[in-house]
Short mmCIF file of all heavy atoms in Angstrom, two decimals:
data_model
loop_
_atom_site.label_atom_id
_atom_site.label_comp_id
_atom_site.label_asym_id
_atom_site.label_seq_id
_atom_site.Cartn_x
_atom_site.Cartn_y
_atom_site.Cartn_z
N GLY A 1 66.37 -50.12 -6.14
CA GLY A 1 66.62 -48.71 -6.47
C GLY A 1 67.97 -48.54 -7.20
O GLY A 1 68.66 -49.50 -7.47
N SER A 2 68.26 -47.31 -7.44
CA SER A 2 69.49 -46.94 -8.18
C SER A 2 70.22 -45.78 -7.51
O SER A 2 69.64 -44.96 -6.79
CB SER A 2 69.08 -46.48 -9.65
OG SER A 2 68.47 -47.47 -10.34
N LEU A 3 71.56 -45.81 -7.77
CA LEU A 3 72.41 -44.71 -7.31
C LEU A 3 73.42 -44.48 -8.40
O LEU A 3 73.80 -45.43 -9.10
CB LEU A 3 73.07 -44.99 -6.00
CG LEU A 3 72.28 -44.91 -4.68
CD1 LEU A 3 73.12 -45.43 -3.53
CD2 LEU A 3 71.83 -43.46 -4.43
N ARG A 4 73.99 -43.26 -8.42
CA ARG A 4 75.09 -42.99 -9.28
C ARG A 4 76.22 -42.43 -8.38
O ARG A 4 76.09 -41.36 -7.77
CB ARG A 4 74.79 -41.96 -10.38
CG ARG A 4 75.95 -41.85 -11.31
CD ARG A 4 75.67 -40.74 -12.41
NE ARG A 4 75.86 -39.41 -11.80
CZ ARG A 4 75.91 -38.29 -12.59
NH1 ARG A 4 75.85 -38.36 -13.91
NH2 ARG A 4 76.06 -37.13 -12.01
N LEU A 5 77.32 -43.16 -8.38
CA LEU A 5 78.54 -42.66 -7.62
C LEU A 5 79.41 -41.92 -8.61
O LEU A 5 79.53 -42.23 -9.77
CB LEU A 5 79.30 -43.88 -7.05
CG LEU A 5 78.49 -44.81 -6.14
CD1 LEU A 5 79.43 -45.86 -5.53
CD2 LEU A 5 77.78 -44.06 -5.00
N SER A 6 80.11 -40.92 -8.03
CA SER A 6 81.03 -40.09 -8.80
C SER A 6 82.40 -40.21 -8.19
O SER A 6 82.54 -40.24 -6.96
CB SER A 6 80.60 -38.65 -8.89
OG SER A 6 79.34 -38.52 -9.57
N CYS A 7 83.43 -40.17 -8.97
CA CYS A 7 84.79 -40.14 -8.53
C CYS A 7 85.52 -38.97 -9.26
O CYS A 7 85.78 -39.07 -10.40
CB CYS A 7 85.50 -41.46 -8.82
SG CYS A 7 87.27 -41.49 -8.46
N ALA A 8 85.64 -37.87 -8.53
CA ALA A 8 86.31 -36.66 -9.13
C ALA A 8 87.74 -36.65 -8.87
O ALA A 8 88.24 -36.85 -7.71
CB ALA A 8 85.61 -35.43 -8.57
N ALA A 9 88.53 -36.42 -9.91
CA ALA A 9 89.96 -36.44 -9.78
C ALA A 9 90.51 -35.03 -9.88
O ALA A 9 89.96 -34.16 -10.62
CB ALA A 9 90.57 -37.23 -10.88
N SER A 10 91.57 -34.74 -9.11
CA SER A 10 92.26 -33.47 -9.21
C SER A 10 93.71 -33.74 -9.09
O SER A 10 94.16 -34.83 -8.68
CB SER A 10 91.73 -32.46 -8.13
OG SER A 10 92.01 -33.06 -6.85
N GLY A 11 94.55 -32.73 -9.42
CA GLY A 11 96.01 -32.98 -9.43
C GLY A 11 96.47 -33.19 -10.83
O GLY A 11 96.13 -32.45 -11.77
N HIS A 12 97.24 -34.25 -11.06
CA HIS A 12 97.82 -34.58 -12.34
C HIS A 12 96.78 -35.28 -13.25
O HIS A 12 96.92 -36.44 -13.60
CB HIS A 12 99.04 -35.40 -12.28
CG HIS A 12 100.27 -34.64 -11.82
ND1 HIS A 12 100.89 -33.71 -12.62
CD2 HIS A 12 100.88 -34.61 -10.62
CE1 HIS A 12 101.90 -33.19 -11.98
NE2 HIS A 12 101.93 -33.71 -10.75
N THR A 13 95.73 -34.60 -13.52
CA THR A 13 94.61 -35.21 -14.31
C THR A 13 94.90 -35.15 -15.78
O THR A 13 94.13 -35.65 -16.57
CB THR A 13 93.32 -34.49 -13.98
OG1 THR A 13 93.42 -33.08 -14.29
CG2 THR A 13 92.88 -34.74 -12.60
N ASP A 14 95.98 -34.58 -16.21
CA ASP A 14 96.32 -34.64 -17.64
C ASP A 14 96.82 -35.98 -18.02
O ASP A 14 96.92 -36.28 -19.19
CB ASP A 14 97.42 -33.56 -17.93
CG ASP A 14 98.66 -33.74 -17.07
OD1 ASP A 14 98.53 -34.03 -15.89
OD2 ASP A 14 99.75 -33.52 -17.62
N ILE A 15 97.23 -36.80 -17.04
CA ILE A 15 97.62 -38.17 -17.28
C ILE A 15 96.43 -39.04 -17.08
O ILE A 15 95.79 -39.09 -16.00
CB ILE A 15 98.77 -38.59 -16.35
CG1 ILE A 15 99.96 -37.68 -16.53
CG2 ILE A 15 99.14 -40.06 -16.59
CD1 ILE A 15 101.07 -37.88 -15.58
N ARG A 16 96.05 -39.79 -18.07
CA ARG A 16 94.85 -40.64 -17.95
C ARG A 16 95.19 -42.02 -17.35
O ARG A 16 96.04 -42.71 -17.87
CB ARG A 16 94.23 -40.85 -19.36
CG ARG A 16 93.81 -39.57 -20.08
CD ARG A 16 92.72 -38.85 -19.29
NE ARG A 16 92.38 -37.60 -19.93
CZ ARG A 16 92.11 -36.48 -19.27
NH1 ARG A 16 92.16 -36.47 -18.00
NH2 ARG A 16 91.74 -35.38 -19.96
N TYR A 17 94.60 -42.33 -16.22
CA TYR A 17 94.83 -43.61 -15.56
C TYR A 17 93.59 -44.47 -15.70
O TYR A 17 92.49 -43.94 -15.79
CB TYR A 17 95.07 -43.36 -14.06
CG TYR A 17 96.31 -42.54 -13.79
CD1 TYR A 17 96.20 -41.24 -13.27
CD2 TYR A 17 97.57 -43.09 -13.94
CE1 TYR A 17 97.33 -40.52 -12.97
CE2 TYR A 17 98.72 -42.36 -13.63
CZ TYR A 17 98.58 -41.06 -13.13
OH TYR A 17 99.66 -40.33 -12.84
N PRO A 18 93.80 -45.77 -15.64
CA PRO A 18 92.58 -46.62 -15.47
C PRO A 18 92.08 -46.38 -14.05
O PRO A 18 92.83 -46.16 -13.10
CB PRO A 18 93.09 -48.04 -15.65
CG PRO A 18 94.59 -47.90 -15.33
CD PRO A 18 95.00 -46.56 -15.75
N VAL A 19 90.73 -46.42 -13.89
CA VAL A 19 90.13 -46.14 -12.63
C VAL A 19 89.22 -47.41 -12.26
O VAL A 19 88.45 -47.82 -13.12
CB VAL A 19 89.33 -44.83 -12.66
CG1 VAL A 19 88.55 -44.65 -11.32
CG2 VAL A 19 90.26 -43.68 -12.86
N ALA A 20 89.30 -47.81 -11.06
CA ALA A 20 88.46 -48.91 -10.63
C ALA A 20 87.61 -48.47 -9.45
O ALA A 20 87.96 -47.54 -8.70
CB ALA A 20 89.32 -50.09 -10.28
N TRP A 21 86.51 -49.22 -9.27
CA TRP A 21 85.73 -49.06 -8.02
C TRP A 21 85.89 -50.37 -7.25
O TRP A 21 85.80 -51.49 -7.81
CB TRP A 21 84.22 -48.88 -8.34
CG TRP A 21 83.90 -47.52 -8.86
CD1 TRP A 21 83.85 -47.07 -10.15
CD2 TRP A 21 83.60 -46.33 -8.06
NE1 TRP A 21 83.53 -45.75 -10.23
CE2 TRP A 21 83.36 -45.28 -8.96
CE3 TRP A 21 83.50 -46.16 -6.67
CZ2 TRP A 21 83.02 -44.02 -8.50
CZ3 TRP A 21 83.10 -44.86 -6.24
CH2 TRP A 21 82.88 -43.86 -7.15
N PHE A 22 86.08 -50.24 -5.96
CA PHE A 22 86.14 -51.30 -5.02
C PHE A 22 85.04 -51.10 -3.97
O PHE A 22 84.57 -49.95 -3.80
CB PHE A 22 87.48 -51.40 -4.34
CG PHE A 22 88.64 -51.80 -5.27
CD1 PHE A 22 89.22 -50.92 -6.14
CD2 PHE A 22 89.06 -53.15 -5.32
CE1 PHE A 22 90.24 -51.29 -6.91
CE2 PHE A 22 90.05 -53.55 -6.14
CZ PHE A 22 90.70 -52.58 -7.01
N ARG A 23 84.73 -52.08 -3.23
CA ARG A 23 83.79 -51.92 -2.11
C ARG A 23 84.28 -52.76 -0.96
O ARG A 23 84.87 -53.84 -1.15
CB ARG A 23 82.36 -52.27 -2.50
CG ARG A 23 82.08 -53.72 -2.94
CD ARG A 23 80.67 -53.81 -3.47
NE ARG A 23 80.34 -55.13 -3.94
CZ ARG A 23 79.17 -55.47 -4.51
NH1 ARG A 23 78.26 -54.53 -4.72
NH2 ARG A 23 78.94 -56.70 -4.97
N GLN A 24 83.90 -52.34 0.21
CA GLN A 24 84.34 -53.03 1.42
C GLN A 24 83.18 -53.01 2.41
O GLN A 24 82.80 -51.92 2.90
CB GLN A 24 85.57 -52.37 2.05
CG GLN A 24 86.17 -53.16 3.18
CD GLN A 24 87.57 -52.57 3.59
OE1 GLN A 24 87.91 -51.48 3.18
NE2 GLN A 24 88.30 -53.41 4.31
N GLY A 25 82.67 -54.19 2.69
CA GLY A 25 81.64 -54.36 3.69
C GLY A 25 82.24 -54.53 5.09
O GLY A 25 83.41 -54.91 5.15
N ALA A 26 81.50 -54.33 6.14
CA ALA A 26 82.02 -54.48 7.48
C ALA A 26 82.53 -55.89 7.67
O ALA A 26 81.84 -56.83 7.46
CB ALA A 26 80.94 -54.16 8.49
N GLY A 27 83.79 -56.01 8.05
CA GLY A 27 84.41 -57.31 8.36
C GLY A 27 84.92 -58.02 7.13
O GLY A 27 85.37 -59.18 7.21
N PHE A 28 84.89 -57.34 5.98
CA PHE A 28 85.35 -58.02 4.73
C PHE A 28 86.52 -57.22 4.16
O PHE A 28 86.74 -56.08 4.47
CB PHE A 28 84.19 -58.02 3.71
CG PHE A 28 83.10 -58.98 4.14
CD1 PHE A 28 81.99 -58.52 4.80
CD2 PHE A 28 83.12 -60.32 3.73
CE1 PHE A 28 80.99 -59.40 5.21
CE2 PHE A 28 82.10 -61.18 4.09
CZ PHE A 28 81.05 -60.75 4.77
N GLU A 29 87.26 -57.88 3.31
CA GLU A 29 88.37 -57.19 2.59
C GLU A 29 87.78 -56.35 1.50
O GLU A 29 86.61 -56.54 1.08
CB GLU A 29 89.29 -58.24 2.05
CG GLU A 29 88.71 -59.13 0.98
CD GLU A 29 89.68 -60.19 0.49
OE1 GLU A 29 90.77 -60.34 1.07
OE2 GLU A 29 89.35 -60.85 -0.46
N ARG A 30 88.56 -55.45 1.04
CA ARG A 30 88.17 -54.59 -0.09
C ARG A 30 88.17 -55.41 -1.38
O ARG A 30 89.17 -56.09 -1.75
CB ARG A 30 89.14 -53.43 -0.23
CG ARG A 30 88.62 -52.22 -0.97
CD ARG A 30 89.46 -51.02 -0.75
NE ARG A 30 89.42 -50.56 0.60
CZ ARG A 30 89.97 -49.42 1.04
NH1 ARG A 30 90.64 -48.63 0.20
NH2 ARG A 30 89.82 -49.05 2.31
N ARG A 31 87.03 -55.37 -2.14
CA ARG A 31 86.83 -56.22 -3.28
C ARG A 31 86.59 -55.39 -4.52
O ARG A 31 85.89 -54.37 -4.48
CB ARG A 31 85.67 -57.16 -3.00
CG ARG A 31 85.90 -58.10 -1.88
CD ARG A 31 84.71 -59.02 -1.63
NE ARG A 31 84.98 -59.99 -0.55
CZ ARG A 31 84.10 -60.83 -0.08
NH1 ARG A 31 82.86 -60.88 -0.61
NH2 ARG A 31 84.45 -61.69 0.87
N PHE A 32 87.05 -55.90 -5.63
CA PHE A 32 86.92 -55.27 -6.93
C PHE A 32 85.44 -55.26 -7.35
O PHE A 32 84.74 -56.28 -7.18
CB PHE A 32 87.73 -56.01 -7.97
CG PHE A 32 87.49 -55.56 -9.34
CD1 PHE A 32 88.03 -54.42 -9.87
CD2 PHE A 32 86.73 -56.33 -10.20
CE1 PHE A 32 87.79 -53.99 -11.17
CE2 PHE A 32 86.49 -56.01 -11.51
CZ PHE A 32 87.04 -54.80 -12.01
N VAL A 33 85.01 -54.14 -7.95
CA VAL A 33 83.64 -54.05 -8.47
C VAL A 33 83.69 -53.80 -10.00
O VAL A 33 83.05 -54.55 -10.77
CB VAL A 33 82.91 -52.87 -7.81
CG1 VAL A 33 81.52 -52.76 -8.46
CG2 VAL A 33 82.77 -53.11 -6.30
N ALA A 34 84.41 -52.80 -10.42
CA ALA A 34 84.43 -52.42 -11.87
C ALA A 34 85.66 -51.63 -12.16
O ALA A 34 86.26 -50.98 -11.31
CB ALA A 34 83.19 -51.60 -12.21
N LEU A 35 86.05 -51.68 -13.48
CA LEU A 35 87.25 -50.99 -13.91
C LEU A 35 86.98 -50.38 -15.29
O LEU A 35 86.32 -51.01 -16.10
CB LEU A 35 88.43 -51.95 -13.97
CG LEU A 35 89.65 -51.57 -14.82
CD1 LEU A 35 90.38 -50.43 -14.15
CD2 LEU A 35 90.56 -52.77 -15.00
N ILE A 36 87.54 -49.20 -15.51
CA ILE A 36 87.44 -48.62 -16.88
C ILE A 36 88.89 -48.24 -17.28
O ILE A 36 89.61 -47.66 -16.49
CB ILE A 36 86.51 -47.41 -16.88
CG1 ILE A 36 86.32 -46.97 -18.33
CG2 ILE A 36 86.98 -46.24 -16.02
CD1 ILE A 36 85.12 -46.07 -18.53
N GLY A 37 89.25 -48.59 -18.49
CA GLY A 37 90.59 -48.32 -19.01
C GLY A 37 90.83 -46.86 -19.24
O GLY A 37 89.86 -46.06 -19.25
N LYS A 38 92.12 -46.53 -19.51
CA LYS A 38 92.47 -45.09 -19.65
C LYS A 38 91.75 -44.42 -20.83
O LYS A 38 91.60 -43.18 -20.76
CB LYS A 38 93.92 -44.99 -19.76
CG LYS A 38 94.52 -45.70 -20.95
CD LYS A 38 96.05 -45.66 -20.95
CE LYS A 38 96.60 -44.33 -21.02
NZ LYS A 38 98.08 -44.34 -21.04
N THR A 39 91.33 -45.16 -21.84
CA THR A 39 90.63 -44.51 -22.95
C THR A 39 89.09 -44.51 -22.81
O THR A 39 88.43 -43.82 -23.59
CB THR A 39 90.96 -45.18 -24.32
OG1 THR A 39 90.49 -46.51 -24.22
CG2 THR A 39 92.50 -45.20 -24.52
N GLY A 40 88.63 -45.27 -21.83
CA GLY A 40 87.18 -45.28 -21.66
C GLY A 40 86.48 -46.36 -22.45
O GLY A 40 85.27 -46.55 -22.30
N VAL A 41 87.20 -47.05 -23.32
CA VAL A 41 86.61 -48.11 -24.17
C VAL A 41 86.45 -49.42 -23.47
O VAL A 41 85.45 -50.14 -23.54
CB VAL A 41 87.42 -48.26 -25.47
CG1 VAL A 41 86.91 -49.41 -26.27
CG2 VAL A 41 87.45 -46.96 -26.25
N ASN A 42 87.47 -49.80 -22.72
CA ASN A 42 87.46 -51.09 -22.02
C ASN A 42 86.90 -51.01 -20.67
O ASN A 42 87.33 -50.18 -19.84
CB ASN A 42 88.94 -51.63 -21.98
CG ASN A 42 89.59 -51.74 -23.34
OD1 ASN A 42 89.96 -50.75 -23.95
ND2 ASN A 42 89.63 -52.96 -23.87
N THR A 43 85.98 -51.93 -20.35
CA THR A 43 85.39 -51.95 -18.98
C THR A 43 85.41 -53.44 -18.56
O THR A 43 85.28 -54.37 -19.33
CB THR A 43 84.00 -51.40 -19.01
OG1 THR A 43 83.19 -52.12 -19.92
CG2 THR A 43 83.98 -49.94 -19.33
#
């Protein structure tokens, strides 16, 4: 199946930051999943 996760930002959103998704399973460290650069071009 499929899901779409959303990450909504508030506060100083006029400054564009790179945003990443991490995931953490039970008993595991937090691990990198995906990253998008500040312009949205680089992933």
Side-chain angles (χ1 to χ4, degrees):
S2 299
L3 283 173
R4 187 185 75 167
L5 304 184
S6 299
C7 173
S10 59
H12 284 289
T13 56
D14 55 322
I15 300 173
R16 301 296 178 220
Y17 298 109
V19 175
W21 286 93
F22 291 81
R23 62 187 178 185
Q24 186 169 19
F28 291 90
E29 63 182 9
R30 199 165 293 188
R31 296 179 178 177
F32 170 77
V33 176
L35 163 68
I36 188 163
K38 61 188 297 183
T39 65
V41 173
N42 302 77
T43 58

